């Protein structure tokens, strides 16, 4: 009896969540891979990243760097697009998809950096001899 009750509640509450997730994936900006791994902390990471986007409505959209606001590419009368980006950075980089008609940000994503080895400073002890 308890098991039936838990399963019923799970199904009832899960259904709206799945519907909401599906709606969010329709208006999406995705960078793959979304993580770049460098050997040492502070060094530049290099990767070829595919940035894809999709919107409900056909329109004029531009992809820009979130930090510098530099426009990277624009699409006219499109509903989806792809941009190949040569990632070369020592820090995280964010991207925004904007509607070029009104300048509003409609989606955003970020490429995260990770390191294999973190920089750790050695303790230096003073020696007289």
């Amino acid at each position: 009896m308890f098991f039936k009750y838990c399963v019923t509640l799970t199904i009832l509450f899960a259904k709206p969540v799945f519907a909401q997730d599906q709606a969010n994936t329709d208006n999406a900006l995705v960078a793959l891979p979304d993580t770049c791994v460098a050997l040492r902390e502070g060094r530049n990471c290099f990767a070829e990243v595919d940035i894809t986007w999709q919107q409900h409505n056909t329109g004029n959209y531009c992809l820009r760097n979130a930090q510098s606001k530099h426009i990277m590419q624009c699409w006219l009368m499109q509903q989806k697009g792809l941009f190949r980006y040569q990632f070369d950075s020592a820090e995280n980089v964010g991207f925004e998809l904007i509607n070029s008609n009104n300048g509003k940000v409609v989606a955003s994503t970020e490429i995260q950096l990770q390191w294999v080895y973190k920089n750790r400073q050695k303790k230096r002890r003073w020696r007289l001899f």
Side-chain angles (χ1 to χ4, degrees):
M1 177 73 179
F2 180 73
F3 178 73
K4 274 186 180 180
Y5 181 70
C6 287
V7 170
T8 305
L9 282 177
T10 303
I11 292 171
L12 287 175
F13 289 118
K15 194 170 185 178
V17 172
F18 293 139
Q20 185 180 11
D21 286 345
Q22 186 178 5
N24 288 342
T25 58
D26 290 341
N27 283 341
L29 178 64
V30 178
L32 288 176
D34 63 351
T35 303
C36 189
V37 180
L39 189 59
R40 294 215 177 266
E41 184 176 7
R43 298 260 175 103
N44 279 20
C45 187
F46 304 94
E48 185 172 298
V49 179
D50 285 342
I51 301 172
T52 58
W53 62 271
Q54 183 173 353
Q55 293 293 306
H56 286 297
N57 302 324
T58 301
N60 301 328
Y61 299 99
C62 290
L63 179 70
R64 72 179 182 189
N65 183 304
Q67 287 82 13
S68 68
K69 305 300 183 200
H70 172 75
I71 300 290
M72 301 165 73
Q73 182 162 343
C74 291
W75 294 266
L76 299 176
M77 299 308 295
Q78 297 292 318
Q79 200 169 6
K80 61 183 175 179
L82 167 70
F83 180 73
R84 287 239 159 99
Y85 179 66
Q86 296 296 323
F87 185 79
D88 176 7
S89 179
E91 53 191 41
N92 297 344
V93 177
F95 300 96
E96 297 173 333
L97 185 69
I98 60 169
N99 183 328
S100 60
N101 295 332
N102 58 21
K104 290 187 178 180
V105 175
V106 293
S108 61
T109 190
E110 186 177 50
I111 299 174
Q112 301 279 327
L113 252 69
Q114 290 187 351
W115 299 279
V116 176
Y117 301 107
K118 298 228 183 227
N119 288 339
R120 291 188 176 91
Q121 291 187 352
K122 295 179 182 178
K123 287 186 178 180
R124 299 201 173 150
R125 297 183 182 169
W126 290 89
R127 292 185 182 181
L128 194 55
F129 298 101

